[in-house]
Amino acid sequence: MKIFRFVSVFLTLSLLITLTAFSSGEEMRRYQQTITVEFASADAAAEADLVPLELPVGKTLALASRWDDTTFAHLSMAKTLSENGWKGTFFLNKVNSDFVSKVVRPSVGMGCSVGVHTINHPHLETVAPDRLFYELLGNKILIEQATDLCANTFTFPFGLHSTPDSLSSTEVQGEAIRRTGLFGGAENLGKAKKMNLAPDQFISPYLFRADDKDPQLSVFSNGFNQGLRLLKKGPFDSGPCFILGVHSWQQNIHKDGFDRLSKILATRSHNPKYWYCNCSEYIAYRLAYLKNKVEKKEVRNNTAVFTLSCLYPADLGSDCPMGYKLSREPKTISVNGKSIPAADQGEFMLPNDPQFTVPVKIDCIENKENGDPRSNTLVSQKIPGIQFGSQIDWNKNRLAIHIENKSDKTLSDPYFTVRLPLRWKEGILYRSAKSIPAGQSLDLEIPLGEIDSNDAFSTGKLFAAVSCDFVQEKNILRLYSTLFIEKK
């Protein structure tokens, strides 16, 4: 039995594709789509270019909304938004099954999404970097496990602040957010620069309000019109998006507070030029737009072939179609052999390849004491037959990962993302393999790289996590392994 296990592990490891570790956040998984376009003439085919659209076809402005904290009032908010054609993102703290079934599920059914807001709602500048990272990543994992939804956006509990006496500076807060895999949020313009991040590392659109406790049309209209004036002066780094917020407190003063808000929303509802989206959709679309890669591969008579290098929706956190525009009017457009319609002026929407989507089920397996990653207690409760554990060896400065497939189905394309606290300079590490057949296991040992000499990054228990996305029976599933390790 031991010999068989050794052989199976060796064979699986032989399939391993090691990816370069990085800390810049610039690399993301990509897959290709091929677009074949027929034009009226060979000249048109030779001259044609293909470019991404900043917003979906026909839209000039994106409108979303942000609502913080875990409260049952969010359901009333979701209904109010939905009846006016709006969507929202609820930035949650702690969640349980009752809240998920009564609030999250029906809200998502109305087009809303969920985001990260920390576990304990602290002033982030007042907590040490190790706790800061746990507040962010722990919250993201908790939300994803509870809801089976990706959480790709974030809002600060009390805003972005820093003083000379802060335990976590704005730059440290930004780095912790980036390592957590949060790409933006409803945090108003210019937040990326304040955290020393690039515009594609934290996307923060224009935020306006209607007064949470006493909804007022004048407050809403003044904020909306101010956004239009600012946008007219020049493009935002975050793109043309306004986000309304911030709390579902509409009934704190008036019993009919949500009715009042509904009438306010109606003044900017159902405009065919507006894209009514949630924050998760917009941030994912914006990131895909900024990182879009198009290559014109060949021209054959009156036909041009383009290759798109598309980001994985599972990494973006939302499965949004992308808008594109051809510089010459097409006769026909086909993507991977399937015809799609084109709008006026050569514009069209391109959905993701169906095999590349977001996870349908997400679970977390805790290894709280940083124990043996092979322990048979580290099993998934939601995804039967999968054992998954990770362990950090402080002395060797290495991470061990063990995943065992005890099911009768192959795990295809397992992709591991390691998220490390600020003690390590390399914040995010990636590895991948071809498959883990039924009855086999995979063991990885990953060097964690250079340790930061700043003692402020190791003041207590350090939290780290490894996620594994894989395909099983055409469904994408996600497993987290989390652990704590004490400084030695």
Side-chain angles (χ1 to χ4, degrees):
M1 188 68 174
K2 291 183 178 178
I3 294 175
F4 172 77
R5 180 169 184 171
F6 173 80
V7 172
S8 68
V9 172
F10 177 80
L11 290 176
T12 308
L13 280 173
S14 69
L15 300 175
L16 185 66
I17 305 171
T18 302
L19 303 184
T20 302
F22 66 92
S23 60
S24 68
E26 293 303 317
E27 293 298 326
M28 298 181 74
R29 283 189 292 176
R30 293 178 180 272
Y31 74 94
Q32 288 193 340
Q33 296 207 73
T34 301
I35 299 183
T36 303
V37 186
E38 182 186 4
F39 296 92
S41 68
D43 286 344
E47 295 169 2
D49 290 321
L50 178 67
V51 296
L53 293 173
E54 194 170 27
L55 291 175
V57 171
K59 308 302 180 184
T60 59
L61 180 68
L63 288 183
S65 65
R66 154 201 175 173
W67 311 102
D68 289 2
D69 306 329
T70 298
T71 167
F72 281 83
H74 286 333
L75 183 58
S76 296
M77 178 60 74
K79 292 177 179 177
T80 303
L81 296 169
S82 180
E83 67 189 18
N84 289 284
W86 285 61
K87 297 179 183 180
T89 296
F90 299 109
F91 293 89
L92 307 175
N93 305 113
K94 296 178 181 179
V95 292
N96 57 34
S97 58
D98 186 51
F99 184 81
V100 171
S101 63
K102 292 180 179 178
V103 178
V104 175
R105 295 285 176 236
S107 298
V108 170
M110 290 180 269
C112 296
S113 66
V114 293
V116 171
H117 197 49
T118 73
I119 293 176
N120 296 296
H121 208 281
H123 288 266
L124 293 189
E125 72 277 10
T126 67
V127 299
D130 52 354
R131 182 187 161 193
L132 166 66
F133 189 63
Y134 170 66
E135 288 282 346
L136 296 168
L137 183 55
N139 188 217
K140 173 183 170 72
I141 295 171
L142 172 70
I143 291 170
E144 292 194 354
Q145 180 188 22
T147 65
D148 290 324
L149 301 169
C150 294
N152 65 344
T153 54
F154 168 72
T155 56
F156 288 84
F158 296 100
L160 174 66
H161 304 288
S162 181
T163 69
D165 298 326
S166 294
L167 294 177
S168 292
S169 66
T170 54
E171 291 82 3
V172 166
Q173 292 173 56
E175 176 62 12
I177 290 167
R178 186 193 67 77
R179 292 180 183 220
T180 301
L182 301 170
F183 304 122
E187 283 296 340
N188 221 326
L189 304 172
K191 283 294 186 293
K193 185 176 181 179
K194 291 180 180 179
M195 294 187 289
N196 198 32
L197 297 176
D200 63 353
Q201 290 181 315
F202 193 84
I203 299 161
S204 56
Y206 173 76
L207 179 67
F208 72 112
R209 302 168 187 256
D211 192 323
D212 292 342
K213 294 183 180 180
D214 187 14
Q216 299 288 329
L217 177 59
S218 60
V219 177
F220 175 92
S221 297
N222 289 340
F224 192 96
N225 292 331
Q226 172 68 7
L228 292 177
R229 287 192 293 270
L230 291 173
L231 196 56
K232 191 174 182 179
K233 290 180 180 179
F236 300 158
D237 283 346
S238 57
C241 177
F242 297 174
I243 297 182
L244 175 69
V246 173
H247 297 99
S248 297
W249 294 345
Q250 281 64 35
Q251 289 183 315
N252 282 22
I253 294 178
H254 306 287
K255 290 184 179 180
D256 65 343
F258 282 106
D259 290 334
R260 294 180 180 218
L261 179 62
S262 182
K263 292 175 182 177
I264 293 170
L265 292 175
T267 65
R268 292 288 179 176
S269 293
H270 307 297
N271 187 323
K273 293 292 186 180
Y274 294 166
W275 177 30
Y276 297 93
C277 54
N278 59 53
C279 297
S280 306
E281 290 172 328
Y282 181 76
I283 297 300
Y285 187 102
R286 180 67 181 175
L287 190 59
Y289 167 78
L290 293 173
K291 294 182 175 293
N292 198 275
K293 294 182 180 180
V294 180
E295 183 181 359
K296 192 172 187 180
K297 296 293 288 186
E298 62 176 316
V299 176
R300 302 189 299 266
N301 298 322
N302 64 338
T303 299
V305 179
F306 300 88
T307 299
L308 304 181
S309 182
C310 305
L311 297 175
Y312 275 51
D315 296 343
L316 290 170
S318 183
D319 188 2
C320 281
M322 190 75 195
Y324 289 90
K325 178 180 176 61
L326 287 156
S327 60
R328 300 295 296 267
E329 194 76 20
K331 291 180 64 177
T332 63
I333 304 174
S334 65
V335 179
N336 299 335
K338 296 181 180 180
S339 297
I340 62 170
D344 293 339
Q345 300 178 334
E347 297 179 341
F348 62 95
M349 294 299 295
L350 178 65
N352 283 291
D353 187 311
Q355 67 177 307
F356 297 97
T357 184
V358 294
V360 299
K361 193 176 291 186
I362 303 174
D363 198 10
C364 176
I365 305 170
E366 296 180 318
N367 185 9
K368 292 182 179 180
E369 302 303 321
N370 192 37
D372 184 353
R374 293 171 172 268
S375 172
N376 57 18
T377 63
L378 302 175
V379 296
S380 172
Q381 301 302 308
K382 284 170 113 177
I383 306 174
I386 308 301
Q387 180 179 327
F388 184 38
S390 58
Q391 180 186 47
I392 289 178
D393 186 319
W394 192 278
N395 295 321
K396 293 182 179 179
N397 195 32
R398 300 178 78 84
L399 172 73
I401 298 173
H402 175 77
I403 182 166
E404 193 162 347
N405 182 8
K406 298 178 181 180
S407 75
D408 59 357
K409 305 174 183 68
T410 295
L411 310 185
S412 301
D413 302 317
Y415 189 81
F416 301 88
T417 303
V418 181
R419 300 192 183 278
L420 297 170
L422 277 74
R423 172 180 168 82
W424 285 276
K425 290 190 175 182
E426 295 288 339
I428 310 173
L429 309 175
Y430 294 148
R431 298 291 187 273
S432 67
K434 289 184 178 180
S435 67
I436 306 174
Q440 294 193 19
S441 61
L442 172 64
D443 287 279
L444 304 176
E445 198 168 286
I446 303 173
L448 297 180
E450 187 176 355
I451 293 174
D452 198 301
S453 60
N454 189 341
D455 287 338
F457 294 156
S458 301
T459 58
K461 280 191 172 182
L462 302 182
F463 180 71
V466 181
S467 65
C468 180
D469 286 9
F470 58 88
V471 179
Q472 190 179 61
E473 292 190 313
K474 297 183 179 181
N475 289 319
I476 297 176
L477 308 175
R478 173 173 294 171
L479 270 178
Y480 282 99
S481 168
T482 61
L483 58 89
F484 285 96
I485 181 171
E486 292 198 57
K487 181 179 179 180
K488 293 183 180 179

